[in-house]
Amino acid sequence: MEWLAYAHFHHGEHDKALLLYKELLELPDTDPMYHTYAAACLFYMADYNEAHEAALQGIQPVRLCVEFLTLELGKIHCRKYSCSLQ
């Protein structure tokens, strides 16, 4: 069901994807990331208030350290960025 929701989302069928993510959220021990995916569906459906509420139910914001690798003239350069999601 997760892959079907993913396919609907990436095909622009956000309403169908949202229904599937809501079904997934009703399962026991569900992944809280589905709230985030549902929020993305709601956002693309222009339901910004509901999207915000769904996003708040998703995974907790965490400090991220993301490494960006870029290939320049055959050499790999690594730049580290830290950010705080709020």
Side-chain angles (χ1 to χ4, degrees):
M1 190 179 337
E2 180 179 356
W3 279 106
L4 184 57
Y6 175 90
H8 282 307
F9 180 85
H10 289 279
H11 196 255
E13 299 169 335
H14 304 109
D15 54 338
K16 292 178 182 178
L18 179 60
L19 291 175
L20 292 171
Y21 285 127
K22 285 184 176 183
E23 283 185 45
L24 288 165
L25 284 165
E26 292 177 7
L27 298 174
D29 299 324
T30 192
D31 186 347
M33 193 66 185
Y34 293 139
H35 287 288
T36 306
Y37 299 152
C41 293
L42 290 161
F43 177 84
Y44 280 105
M45 294 167 60
D47 192 345
Y48 304 116
N49 291 331
E50 287 295 318
H52 179 78
E53 291 302 317
L56 291 176
Q57 294 176 16
I59 59 172
Q60 294 296 316
V62 295
R63 285 189 58 76
L64 298 177
C65 180
V66 180
E67 294 184 9
F68 290 93
L69 298 175
T70 57
L71 187 61
E72 294 178 10
L73 302 174
K75 295 182 181 179
I76 296 177
H77 301 275
C78 180
R79 300 180 304 220
K80 292 185 180 183
Y81 296 91
S82 292
C83 64
S84 177
L85 300 175
Q86 296 181 6

